[in-house]
Amino acid sequence: MNFLLLYFLGILPFLPFEGKITPELKKELERIGNKDKVFAIVHLSTIYPYEEVDNLSYKEKAKIFKSIAENSQNKIIEFLKNNFKSDEYEILRKFWVFNGFHIKATKSVIYTLEKLNDIWFICGNEKIILDGIIKKEKRELREKTVEWNILRVRADSCWMAGYTGQGIIIGHIDTGVDTSHLALKNKWLSPYWFDGVYGQPSPYDNDGHGTHTMGTICGGDGLGPFQDDIGVAPDVKFVTAKGFSGGIGYYEWIDPCMQKIVDWKESGVDIRAVSNSWSGGRLDLHFWPIILTWKSMGIFPVFSNGNSGPNYGTANTPGNYPTVIGVGATDISDVIANFSSRGPAPDESPWNDPQYWYRPDWNLIKPDISAPGVYVRSSVPGGGYQAWSGTSMACPHVTGAVAILLQKNPNLTPNDLYTILVNSARQVEPCPNFDYGWGILNIYKALLNTPTPDEPFIYLLSFQRDDQNQNGIWEPGENSNITINLKNSGGRPAVNTYGVLKTQSPYVSIIDSISSFGDIYPGDSVNNPNDPYKIFAHYDAPWGSEVLFTLEINAQGYSSTKFFKTYIGIPGFDYVTHDTGNIVLSVTRHGSIGYMSSYPPMIYGRGCHYPKTSPSHLFYGSFAIGNSTSYVVDRYYNQEGDDQDWITLDPEGKVRLYEPGPFSDEYTIALYDDSGHPSSKNILVKQETFAWGDTSADDFVIYKFTIKNRGNTTVNNLYSAIFLDWDIGDYQQNVGGVDTIRNLAYMYYGSVVMGSAVIDPPRNSGKINHSLIDHAQYVYPYGGLPDNIQFQFMNGTIKVLFSDRPYDWSTCISAGPFNINSQDSIITAFAILGATSFTKLRKYCDTAYARYWNVVHIKEVSERNNKLTFFNVSPNIIKDNIIHINYTLERPSDVKINLYNVLGQRIFTLSRGKISEGEKLKIHTKLAKGIYFLNLQTGKQKFQKKVILIR
């Protein structure tokens, strides 16, 4: 095959904007005159054959990429020559790291290029921000010490094991480096320096950012005598390119730097990773093909995740690409930094295309991993040291880690490096998550999990678990098959490989625990679809039970143990977020609203956003019940911190999100009780929430609480309430009031109005209170809202119907009093709403009220009233093969009957539509003697009977 002529016309990612010109460039074109020129970057639609050339050398790959770029770009340039005058455009620089070029051209030229099929998209000279926040620190004379962040990632343990990054070359795009700094002496690989900003021939750093990040990569001498051990991999060599100045960079500066990296690689400089402590926009595709080329050339792209936190969905490009490892920032206590950008990555093409994912279960998780990034002390130009903060400071820890792993095994690919790093991270539950990713960097554990080049190394790529009824949920009483995907990233075959599956879960039996994988050759992946592991979930397993499995892998001369987990039922979470509509609201497993707690940084939850693209307007909120000043049960804040009265029923009580859910597009459920209160009355709460995505009902979330008295005595005069501390814009300028007709309390600032309303009990029930809470009078003097004051708002003793000044206010809406007999329940429901005017808020409140009573309530009553009044199997000790099933429904309904053996294997399923009352069924089947379980399901109800067959 003549690779010089190879063109691979693949499927290009969809653009997250209309047309081929980015919105930013369109605005710039609208501002300039017809003869004015604008800087633009033209991306061509002919892409590189990355998979087809995967086994070629880097030089051969570069030759092919260059040829494709030159041929396709020359075609466009020839078109421009034939159709425009020379003073209408100027080709500034051509690239092969991506198929495109920089141009200065009139709007006529740009609009003409947009129409060509050969053009993928055209963008402008966008600005990129460095992800660092400076905090100065004086250098003090001290004994030799290793910095806290280096110890935290366990780099020092790697040094003691003999791994310091020696023999590995890393790249770096930043503000430059002061290569004369004593901490970086003799680490720069001369003459590999490039200045994309000012074109200077020798390394320098006029900002300090690049010297600081490089110091964290390799500053100091590890176990040697140098005083300031600030770097992860002290024996690494680096090459560097300057693409930033004054804290910012532009595509015009950065693109040549990214090109220079692959130029050096082609020339024989074996750059294995590039550290990039910077980020752009959230949906920016400009760097997408560049990263693909880097990976194809064996360069692992390491990027900071951005400093746009703490809200979710703030991870920036390229750090949010699935093709890079994006790094979040933690502090000395391992808490994710408030500024650290959160996932998920955009649910857009190409982010959501699994072909680009490092692992099949990535599923938009960002950051991928986290590392120290708060007050990290490192080198600055002129020989000094300062402590800086930012995901910029976290990113170089991972780059240094890569060098250490590659010293042990230079054969590791970017995919291998990613897998080892994230699988070895110190997990933060739930794992993974959108705050930490797969956890906090642990280089020593990653080193232990890295094979040497002359041995096999098997790691668990992924696993798949099926379920009997194919609804995606492994339910109690169901069998399941587990298929394992293994990869050998070592340098020698794993011969006669087999795995033994084990678990200590009391709710799971392993029916078939051994599976063979045969010989696994270096670089190969295998699975076991023809010999899966067989497991059974016991009937008494709590819904949402976590099951930890141990997989013991054995081959000739090799053994290792891997762990993975799955769930019986749907796994519960601490919190989930409604985001299907125009309002975004996090609900939790223990009644707090918006966030898990009121303590900053408020990272567990997204608060409440309206509209969904805005910042959160909610500081904190909580559901509460109470019947006296000594019995107020909530998770709201007071002078001693958040109350801890509501306790989750774990595991089945954790919050679960269903899409779609019953009666709504999104539905959540959680269970908690009052066992955390010192005077518990044995109250159980079922919390349900409903949200819709249709434009007629997408501005509110409905909370429904079923409050059950599990105690032996009646609970009298109980109130049910929601407290919400709104902080809308400048919270010291918030104002608000109540709408007594709609049982609505609201607050507003500017064009944003947020509110909450009681919707059950119904309007005019006489059981509703609503009030504003003046923080100057009721909160600030006490360092929170004390229970005795809180209860007076709940029962209406204190009532403030409007704000008398712009200030910091909260709201309380409550229903009651109720008397709940032993084993009885009451229901209350509330709506949380957002709008851009008070008129719209009232309209949305009416809609929420109607949606609850006309949809949720009616359908629930309909299902609840269709009771199964009788269910029996006669006889339950059977001598023949006929089972008689008798049952009675209050009205006809769909019925499903399943019969299982003791291993959970389903013998048969029978579905009947709209069975009439009192019908008797006879099931004929040839059964072996033994114990069986017969399940009958109608609607949401499930019933089970045990039968015994004898001969």
Side-chain angles (χ1 to χ4, degrees):
M1 179 179 292
N2 185 353
F3 284 106
L4 291 177
L5 299 178
L6 177 62
Y7 284 78
F8 180 68
L9 300 177
I11 302 301
L12 289 167
F14 291 108
L15 296 172
F17 49 85
E18 293 184 2
K20 296 182 179 180
I21 300 175
T22 62
E24 296 80 8
L25 180 57
K26 278 186 179 179
K27 290 180 181 178
E28 192 170 357
L29 291 172
E30 291 170 359
R31 290 194 297 263
I32 67 172
N34 291 333
K35 294 185 178 181
D36 295 331
K37 294 178 186 175
V38 65
F39 181 98
I41 304 173
V42 180
H43 285 262
L44 276 69
S45 56
T46 303
I47 61 177
Y48 298 158
Y50 295 113
E51 291 187 10
E52 284 76 2
V53 302
D54 188 50
N55 294 323
L56 300 181
S57 69
Y58 299 134
K59 279 187 174 293
E60 290 173 318
K61 289 180 181 180
K63 189 175 182 180
I64 292 169
F65 299 161
K66 284 181 179 181
S67 176
I68 293 173
E70 182 178 5
N71 290 335
S72 54
Q73 291 173 36
N74 284 347
K75 179 181 176 182
I76 302 300
I77 293 170
E78 188 66 25
F79 171 83
L80 292 174
K81 287 181 181 179
N82 294 333
N83 290 275
F84 294 96
K85 297 178 181 179
S86 59
D87 61 352
E88 293 182 84
Y89 71 93
E90 178 185 359
I91 304 297
L92 301 174
R93 186 187 295 264
K94 298 164 64 178
F95 296 88
W96 67 267
V97 70
F98 70 99
N99 190 3
F101 54 85
H102 290 181
I103 189 174
K104 271 191 176 180
T106 63
K107 61 173 67 179
S108 175
V109 171
I110 301 299
Y111 287 135
T112 301
L113 288 173
E114 182 187 23
K115 298 175 184 178
L116 300 180
N117 291 332
D118 294 315
I119 303 304
W120 177 24
F121 74 95
I122 308 171
C123 61
N125 192 18
E126 301 304 323
K127 182 168 68 175
I128 303 294
I129 304 298
L130 291 171
D131 291 328
I133 303 168
I134 301 175
K135 181 176 177 65
K136 295 184 177 180
E137 178 187 85
K138 292 182 178 179
R139 183 185 181 192
E140 300 174 355
L141 294 176
R142 56 182 181 173
E143 297 296 324
K144 175 181 172 64
T145 184
V146 179
E147 296 295 331
W148 72 268
N149 51 298
I150 304 301
L151 296 173
R152 189 58 50 85
V153 299
R154 300 201 63 188
D156 58 319
S157 298
C158 300
W159 305 340
M160 288 185 280
Y163 296 97
T164 58
Q166 187 172 18
I168 304 302
I169 302 170
I170 59 95
H172 177 253
I173 297 177
D174 213 299
T175 62
V177 177
D178 177 4
T179 56
S180 65
H181 196 291
L182 290 179
L184 302 173
K185 188 176 181 181
N186 298 324
K187 299 177 190 291
W188 171 50
L189 185 64
S190 179
Y192 298 103
W193 150 263
F194 177 77
D195 185 354
V197 181
Y198 302 115
Q200 295 300 310
S202 300
Y204 69 101
D205 183 3
N206 61 326
D207 290 80
H209 189 275
T211 303
H212 196 281
T213 55
M214 185 56 72
T216 302
I217 295 173
C218 60
D221 64 354
L223 300 179
F226 189 76
Q227 180 180 350
D228 295 289
D229 288 312
I230 55 174
V232 169
D235 288 331
V236 81
K237 294 288 186 181
F238 71 84
V239 299
T240 185
K242 179 179 176 65
F244 294 83
S245 184
I248 61 174
Y250 294 92
Y251 292 174
E252 183 181 9
W253 301 344
I254 300 169
D255 288 352
C257 296
M258 303 184 93
Q259 177 66 63
K260 186 57 66 174
I261 293 293
V262 290
D263 288 340
W264 288 334
K265 182 82 174 191
E266 180 196 19
S267 71
V269 182
D270 192 16
I271 303 167
R272 301 303 307 273
V274 179
S275 194
N276 303 273
S277 289
W278 48 271
S279 60
R282 177 165 166 76
L283 292 170
D284 186 353
L285 282 175
H286 170 65
F287 298 107
W288 184 266
I290 296 175
I291 299 304
L292 293 179
T293 301
W294 273 9
K295 284 189 64 183
S296 182
M297 297 289 286
I299 299 168
F300 188 44
V302 185
F303 278 86
S304 56
N305 210 46
N307 290 352
S308 302
N311 289 331
Y312 287 85
T314 52
N316 297 318
T317 60
N320 70 14
Y321 289 173
T323 49
V324 313
I325 187 166
V327 188
T330 56
D331 65 14
I332 197 169
S333 300
D334 288 343
V335 175
I336 197 73
N338 188 60
F339 56 75
S340 186
S341 291
R342 304 322 202 251
D347 191 8
E348 306 275 353
S349 174
W351 286 267
N352 56 14
D353 187 342
Q355 70 169 307
Y356 298 112
W357 299 1
Y358 281 106
R359 50 190 295 160
D361 60 345
W362 174 69
N363 200 24
L364 309 181
I365 294 293
K366 285 291 172 177
D368 302 276
I369 199 167
S370 298
V374 179
Y375 301 151
V376 172
R377 183 174 179 271
S378 189
S379 48
V380 292
Y385 298 84
Q386 292 178 359
W388 293 16
S389 299
T391 53
S392 276
M393 287 59 255
C395 174
H397 290 83
V398 176
T399 311
V402 169
I404 286 176
L405 303 188
L406 287 169
Q407 180 186 351
K408 184 177 181 182
N409 187 346
N411 297 330
L412 298 178
T413 67
N415 286 43
D416 294 334
L417 290 165
Y418 180 95
T419 301
I420 293 171
L421 286 168
V422 300
N423 285 354
S424 305
R426 288 188 289 117
Q427 293 186 356
V428 179
E429 294 295 338
C431 180
N433 58 66
F434 295 134
D435 301 318
Y436 296 84
W438 271 268
I440 302 171
L441 177 66
N442 185 334
I443 308 174
Y444 186 60
K445 184 177 179 181
L447 181 68
L448 295 177
N449 288 334
T450 298
T452 59
D454 59 351
E455 64 178 339
F457 181 74
I458 309 298
Y459 61 82
L460 179 65
L461 273 177
S462 62
F463 73 94
Q464 290 80 41
R465 177 192 51 71
D466 64 11
D467 59 282
Q468 279 183 327
N469 61 13
Q470 299 181 355
N471 66 351
I473 304 169
W474 183 31
E475 299 175 5
E478 278 193 333
N479 280 320
S480 180
N481 295 325
I482 293 182
T483 303
I484 299 291
N485 301 306
L486 301 177
K487 180 176 181 179
N488 182 3
S489 65
R492 185 167 58 84
V495 179
N496 294 330
T497 307
Y498 68 94
V500 180
L501 188 69
K502 298 180 178 180
T503 184
Q504 294 184 349
S505 171
Y507 304 118
V508 174
S509 296
I510 299 179
I511 301 168
D512 185 350
S513 64
I514 300 177
S515 184
S516 175
F517 295 89
D519 298 341
I520 312 176
Y521 291 91
D524 282 355
S525 302
V526 300
N527 53 27
N528 59 328
N530 297 322
D531 184 20
Y533 297 102
K534 299 182 183 299
I535 58 177
F536 170 65
H538 297 176
Y539 285 101
D540 62 346
W543 190 264
S545 297
E546 180 181 289
V547 181
L548 179 65
F549 286 103
T550 300
L551 182 65
E552 295 178 354
I553 302 172
N554 298 277
Q556 288 184 7
Y558 175 84
S559 64
S560 67
T561 302
K562 310 298 178 185
F563 302 91
F564 65 95
K565 63 184 177 184
T566 188
Y567 294 88
I568 302 172
I570 295 177
F573 298 94
D574 289 340
Y575 67 92
V576 297
T577 300
H578 284 297
D579 59 3
T580 187
N582 202 28
I583 189 170
V584 173
L585 177 66
S586 291
V587 300
T588 75
R589 61 175 170 80
H590 56 211
S592 63
I593 299 172
Y595 302 96
M596 288 292 290
S597 76
S598 67
Y599 297 116
M602 300 164 86
I603 57 175
Y604 297 107
R606 294 176 61 184
C608 184
H609 304 245
Y610 188 89
K612 67 192 310 178
T613 56
S614 73
S616 175
H617 305 304
L618 181 66
F619 174 72
Y620 189 60
S622 179
F623 168 66
I625 63 170
N627 69 350
S628 68
T629 56
S630 61
Y631 182 73
V632 174
V633 185
D634 64 354
R635 281 270 174 168
Y636 210 48
Y637 54 73
N638 60 27
Q639 60 268 41
E640 297 177 355
D642 295 345
D643 283 333
Q644 305 291 310
D645 301 329
W646 292 126
I647 302 299
T648 305
L649 273 64
D650 192 18
E652 65 270 26
K654 286 188 173 182
V655 62
R656 289 171 175 82
L657 174 66
Y658 298 83
E659 299 178 281
F663 328 130
S664 61
D665 297 320
E666 288 182 340
Y667 167 81
T668 78
I669 184 171
L671 297 171
Y672 43 86
D673 62 27
D674 69 343
S675 58
H677 194 278
S679 302
S680 170
K681 298 182 184 296
N682 203 1
I683 296 293
L684 172 69
V685 173
K686 179 171 74 171
Q687 171 190 287
E688 299 169 275
T689 63
F690 307 85
W692 291 267
D694 59 282
T695 55
S696 64
D698 64 350
D699 302 285
F700 54 82
V701 172
I702 290 177
Y703 269 88
K704 175 174 174 265
F705 300 98
T706 303
I707 304 166
K708 181 175 183 178
N709 176 10
R710 297 182 301 179
N712 297 321
T713 59
T714 299
V715 176
N716 294 310
N717 300 315
L718 191 75
Y719 291 86
S720 170
I722 280 183
F723 289 85
L724 296 170
D725 184 354
W726 297 109
D727 282 353
I728 310 171
D730 183 355
Y731 65 90
Q732 293 287 347
Q733 297 296 315
N734 287 185
V735 292
V738 301
D739 181 334
T740 56
I741 296 175
R742 293 172 174 81
N743 304 324
L744 168 69
Y746 60 89
M747 287 174 51
Y748 64 89
Y749 175 82
S751 62
V752 176
V753 190
M754 306 302 296
S756 55
V758 180
I759 54 178
D760 190 358
R763 296 172 179 176
N764 301 319
S765 66
K767 287 181 173 289
I768 296 166
N769 297 294
H770 27 56
S771 178
L772 302 186
I773 303 173
D774 187 338
H775 283 207
Q777 186 172 359
Y778 299 112
V779 175
Y780 291 158
Y782 307 101
L785 188 64
D787 284 356
N788 63 323
I789 296 177
Q790 197 171 351
F791 182 68
Q792 293 179 70
F793 280 105
M794 295 168 69
N795 68 10
T797 301
I798 304 175
K799 185 174 293 187
V800 181
L801 300 184
F802 61 90
S803 55
D804 59 1
R805 69 198 187 285
Y807 192 59
D808 186 12
W809 300 82
S810 300
T811 62
C812 170
I813 55 172
S814 68
F818 305 99
N819 297 330
I820 312 179
N821 294 326
S822 174
Q823 305 306 315
D824 278 354
S825 301
I826 62 153
I827 292 174
T828 61
F830 307 85
I832 297 178
L833 316 96
T836 55
S837 70
F838 183 56
T839 299
K840 290 182 177 179
L841 189 75
R842 288 182 295 188
K843 174 185 175 182
Y844 301 155
C845 187
D846 292 340
T847 303
Y849 188 82
R851 185 62 64 104
Y852 174 78
W853 287 105
N854 296 334
V855 177
V856 175
H857 179 73
I858 286 179
K859 289 186 177 180
E860 285 197 338
V861 168
S862 175
E863 286 197 2
R864 187 167 61 245
N865 288 342
N866 187 25
K867 294 180 180 178
L868 181 74
T869 57
F870 179 74
F871 175 39
N872 191 31
V873 177
S874 177
N876 66 341
I877 299 180
I878 305 165
K879 293 185 178 180
D880 55 24
N881 289 331
I882 300 177
I883 301 175
H884 299 264
I885 304 170
N886 295 277
Y887 63 90
T888 303
L889 287 165
E890 289 191 348
R891 65 177 182 279
S893 177
D894 294 337
V895 172
K896 178 181 287 187
I897 298 171
N898 293 313
L899 185 70
Y900 299 96
N901 62 20
V902 291
L903 296 178
Q905 296 169 326
R906 185 168 52 191
I907 306 302
F908 64 78
T909 296
L910 179 65
S911 296
R912 300 290 298 271
K914 302 302 179 185
I915 297 296
S916 61
E917 297 179 8
E919 182 169 339
K920 179 187 295 185
L921 298 180
K922 296 181 179 180
I923 299 177
H924 299 264
T925 185
K926 295 181 179 180
L927 302 175
K929 65 179 181 179
I931 298 174
Y932 296 86
F933 295 91
L934 193 146
N935 284 7
L936 183 145
Q937 180 175 346
T938 172
K940 293 183 178 180
Q941 302 180 96
K942 288 185 178 180
F943 304 89
Q944 180 175 293
K945 294 288 185 179
K946 181 170 72 173
V947 295
I948 302 174
L949 179 63
I950 61 176
R951 296 294 188 187

